[in-house]
Amino acid sequence: VSTQSTWETLGVAFTMIFAFVLAAALALAAAQPPPPKPQISNSFAARIHIEARNQDERPLQGDGHWAVDFSKNEASEFYDIQSGSFPVHVLNLQRYDLGKTFELSSRDQRDCRVHNVTGALPSPWGFLAQATYSGQDHYRNVTVDLWEANVAGINIRLGVHTPTTNVPAFMDRHGAGFESHVYFESFNATAHPDSRYFDIPPPCQH
């Protein structure tokens, strides 16, 4: 038997073994059940970075906080949005305990928009009930599990840290004419965040 024939035989054998191992690995991966859905606390205080865009407007980005005291029906989102030479302060305060929401922007501190609401504060993670697992990815040098859902025409994509899958890493939202990306710089699952997050600002106290 020539040396060439021997190497050809070994090459064919190696190719067959590699194909078998690859097929087995793929079959095993396909057979793995998805991880359990994240059980993220409904009450928390988080520092976040947000990037958002509406239709054809230029994208905006900024930093702020997102806090929820779920048992008290209170939630607050506050951002310093970079816009031009000066940041714009934006507040979205949800006080379902009072049946009100408040929206305020530093563009006009006198213009506090107050809306009536009924019922209880919705869970910030309610979409997970219909979310499906879509694999893993690497985000900012960490491995995350990905969960996706479509709610009322809005596609939501949530990345959670692994193996501690109850800590969010980011959340993307895409809808008709808008998109947003929220990066969680810190996430503190606490039953009762600082009550000052939910104070009604003076322009809205009328």
Side-chain angles (χ1 to χ4, degrees):
V1 180
S2 68
T3 302
Q4 182 178 357
S5 298
T6 301
W7 282 112
E8 289 176 351
T9 302
L10 289 174
V12 171
F14 177 78
T15 301
M16 294 177 62
I17 293 172
F18 177 77
F20 174 78
V21 171
L22 179 60
L26 291 174
L28 181 61
Q32 293 292 325
K37 287 187 177 181
Q39 301 292 321
I40 305 174
S41 173
N42 281 321
S43 293
F44 59 87
R47 287 192 301 109
I48 61 177
H49 177 80
I50 185 171
E51 300 173 5
R53 184 170 194 164
N54 289 324
Q55 296 181 347
D56 297 328
E57 297 178 5
R58 63 185 181 86
L60 299 174
Q61 60 179 316
D63 299 287
H65 72 245
W66 181 10
V68 178
D69 191 326
F70 196 65
S71 65
K72 293 184 177 180
N73 283 308
E74 300 173 334
S76 172
E77 295 178 62
F78 178 85
Y79 309 112
D80 285 326
I81 302 295
Q82 299 301 320
S83 179
S85 302
F86 302 97
V88 176
H89 311 302
V90 179
L91 172 68
N92 179 11
L93 177 63
Q94 301 178 54
R95 291 292 303 269
Y96 274 69
D97 59 318
L98 303 177
K100 304 282 186 182
T101 65
F102 306 88
E103 298 176 4
L104 186 63
S105 167
S106 62
R107 290 188 186 277
D108 186 351
Q109 288 281 10
R110 298 166 299 177
D111 184 22
C112 179
R113 301 179 182 180
V114 183
H115 304 278
N116 295 321
V117 291
T118 59
L121 178 72
S123 166
W125 318 112
F127 65 89
L128 282 172
Q130 53 186 286
T132 57
Y133 181 66
S134 58
Q136 288 189 330
D137 199 358
H138 292 283
Y139 179 78
R140 296 200 175 193
N141 299 318
V142 298
T143 301
V144 295
D145 282 340
L146 300 175
W147 294 87
E148 295 192 46
N150 191 287
V151 180
I154 299 175
N155 182 263
I156 305 174
R157 185 170 180 255
L158 176 71
V160 294
H161 288 275
T162 59
T164 307
T165 58
N166 297 331
V167 177
F170 71 86
M171 182 166 64
D172 293 334
R173 286 176 283 196
H174 297 267
F178 86 95
E179 60 184 59
S180 69
H181 174 81
V182 172
Y183 165 63
F184 291 86
E185 296 180 338
S186 69
F187 185 86
N188 179 23
T190 177
H192 299 293
D194 191 325
S195 62
R196 289 175 293 183
Y197 283 125
F198 314 110
D199 288 343
I200 300 174
C204 299
Q205 296 177 8
H206 55 74

